[in-house]
Amino acid sequence: MHSRFRRTGALVGTGAVLFGALAVVAGNQADAQQGPSPAPLDTLLGQSLQGQSLQGKAALSKLQPRLAELAERNGIAEQKLQRILATDKTSWLDKDGKLFYSEPVATAKERASTAKSPKWATSAVAAATGPAFELHSKAGSSRVIYLDFDGHTISGTAWNGNGRPATVNVTAYDTDGNTGNWSTAEQNVVREVWARVAEDYAPFDVDVTTQAPAESAITRSGSSDQQYGTRVVIDPTTWYQSGCGCGGVAYVGVYDATSQHSYYQPALVFTKGVGTGAKNIAEAASHEAGHNVGLSHDGTASVGYYTGHGAWAPIMGVGYSKAISQWSKGEYSGANNKEDDFAVVGQNGLALRADDHGNGTGDATALTLGTAVNGVYANDADVDSFRIDLSAGTFTFAANAAAAGGDLDVKLQLLDSAGAVVATADPASGQTNSGTPTGLSASISRQVSAGRYYLRVENTGYGNPLNTGYSTYGSRGGYSVKVTAG
């Protein structure tokens, strides 16, 4: 018995050795069949791109097997990155596999139509906003979009190298040939660009400013750093533009990056590509900053940039010829990009503003006759309410959209002391020209008896978002409410 057990043990041991040997052989055969481990992504990028940027479709043909890793590197869903690279001719991957866009120039017609600001812009905007280089849309916010008109030195960034200078001194915006002085006309352009971009970003908790912040207020040092932003340089030079023949460039989804934040700054708007007029510069600046906060282009199956319909265009399309440009979720006919702009921006560092006025009669904001009160309509589900006590007489109740580049289309209702609707104003929207929208503001003139009245401000759309107008989705922005006698 004892010896039998020893022999059995020996057989079992021998079997284990044989099995182990067979397993090693099988494993070696499997490794041989699978081939060597894939090269690290950075090695593959170096081999495929050879230190250069590559247009999207060409990059995709070289890097398709590693698309999932590229998508992760860019914080984009794999299917979305596939679509962008395959269909958007303005998409590029740099030597590190990071996605950026190089925008086409504005057409001669688009430049000509917006070369001069509307008469209302130079007076209303200048009077309302003060010194051109001290403008703030939300001073004190921990997020910033800095519109840099007065020149900037670019070095140590993704825009340097690849045959471009290691250091670039971008000169200040200039239209009269005198770089040592800011003319009134030049300052008015700065004011209007700021007002338009500030309106586009009004729903978000961000300070759009022309006053240079401390570098620490733009650059993010790490995940614990909660004060950061982006710089949009208005660039009149040719150092980059002559090579790309483009209207602007920007990296995608880098606004809240926790590493190499400054490396992917700034976003650039080239006046050589879009012209020197305020409307075009503002459209391009909002668009390029939009890329920084994660947004892609709004187009169709046949065009990379949707140019809009009626008086409307999406900000991430091209709105040079439309007076009303808004954020979009692809509600127009043939849209190729259904992403929710507000949701994407929220995922890339910009939250919506907090509600600034009460929603009902119980928490309505008090008004004083003849004095305007400002508000921002930031959420599509919001309602802003105001109250005022009046003697008997005739009064005008007005809710005015932003003076420059309004995004909010206002619906105004007058309510009596019991909260019943007395009158409603919601005019049709349109445009006088590409820089001047119509019908965004609303007013009611009415004779009333003495008592308390309420004003209810809501956003509204116009027409059919498929092909004639827009929904309430992007109808958000700043407004002012005022009640006057007579």
Side-chain angles (χ1 to χ4, degrees), residues 42-416:
D42 287 331
T43 300
L44 179 63
L45 288 168
Q47 295 169 348
S48 300
L49 304 185
Q50 299 179 340
Q52 301 296 314
S53 299
L54 205 59
Q55 193 277 331
K57 199 168 185 178
L60 184 61
S61 68
K62 289 178 176 289
L63 301 168
Q64 176 79 55
R66 309 296 285 276
L67 189 62
E69 294 170 83
L70 286 166
E72 183 177 3
R73 178 164 293 194
N74 284 282
I76 296 175
E78 182 178 352
Q79 185 177 10
K80 179 180 176 181
L81 183 59
Q82 163 98 25
R83 177 186 64 79
I84 291 171
L85 296 178
T87 63
D88 194 327
K89 295 179 181 179
T90 66
S91 67
W92 291 73
L93 287 185
D94 73 4
K95 62 183 179 63
D96 298 313
K98 292 288 284 183
L99 177 66
F100 70 95
Y101 286 100
S102 178
E103 321 287 359
V105 298
T107 66
K109 183 178 180 180
E110 288 168 339
R111 294 192 204 192
S113 66
T114 63
K116 293 184 178 181
S117 300
K119 291 182 178 180
W120 57 263
T122 53
S123 57
V125 174
T129 57
F133 295 98
E134 298 178 12
L135 306 174
H136 293 266
S137 66
K138 196 175 187 299
S141 175
S142 61
R143 305 288 189 268
V144 67
I145 295 173
Y146 171 39
L147 302 177
D148 188 347
F149 282 86
D150 59 1
H152 181 60
T153 299
I154 302 174
S155 63
T157 78
W159 306 123
N160 303 105
N162 290 334
R164 300 185 200 94
T167 299
V168 179
N169 294 310
V170 176
T171 58
Y173 171 84
D174 176 67
T175 57
D176 62 4
N178 184 354
T179 58
N181 177 62
W182 286 94
S183 69
T184 299
E186 289 167 343
Q187 291 186 60
N188 282 339
V189 169
V190 173
R191 291 187 182 98
E192 187 183 341
V193 171
W194 169 81
R196 289 179 176 276
V197 178
E199 169 66 0
D200 288 340
Y201 286 88
F204 302 103
D205 185 0
V206 62
D207 182 22
V208 177
T209 182
T210 59
Q211 186 168 25
E215 193 60 37
S216 60
I218 297 178
T219 300
R220 194 177 193 192
S221 59
S223 58
S224 62
D225 183 358
Q226 293 301 307
Q227 186 173 16
Y228 54 86
T230 194
R231 180 192 303 262
V232 181
V233 173
I234 313 305
D235 186 347
T237 63
T238 61
W239 70 279
Y240 193 103
Q241 200 278 334
S242 62
C244 70
C246 55
V249 289
Y251 275 88
V252 181
V254 297
Y255 188 85
D256 63 343
T258 56
S259 65
Q260 291 190 297
H261 188 276
S262 60
Y263 183 71
Y264 297 107
Q265 299 269 339
L268 295 160
V269 172
F270 303 116
T271 59
K272 300 291 185 185
V274 304
T276 57
K279 162 70 170 170
N280 282 11
I281 293 174
E283 292 290 342
S286 289
H287 183 110
E288 301 309 329
H291 285 317
N292 281 176
V293 291
L295 298 177
S296 301
H297 286 147
D298 290 331
T300 69
S302 59
V303 296
Y305 298 76
Y306 187 57
T307 57
H309 52 251
W312 180 90
I315 292 170
M316 299 311 296
V318 56
Y320 297 139
S321 64
K322 305 299 183 184
I324 303 170
S325 56
Q326 299 173 337
W327 302 112
S328 169
K329 59 177 180 178
E331 296 173 294
Y332 55 88
S333 180
N336 68 349
N337 181 9
K338 300 287 188 176
E339 71 182 3
D340 181 336
D341 282 0
F342 288 102
V344 172
V345 173
Q347 294 160 4
N348 285 271
L350 290 185
L352 292 179
R353 284 190 188 226
D355 192 8
D356 53 0
H357 296 290
N359 292 352
T361 57
D363 55 358
T365 299
L367 295 176
T368 301
L369 187 65
T371 301
V373 172
N374 295 325
V376 174
Y377 198 98
N379 192 309
D380 196 18
D382 191 19
V383 176
D384 287 347
S385 295
F386 303 84
R387 60 178 170 82
I388 188 168
D389 296 320
L390 297 171
S391 57
T394 300
F395 299 90
T396 298
F397 307 86
N400 294 315
D407 291 33
L408 174 65
D409 188 349
V410 176
K411 175 183 176 181
L412 178 65
Q413 291 185 316
L414 176 64
L415 286 64
D416 63 20

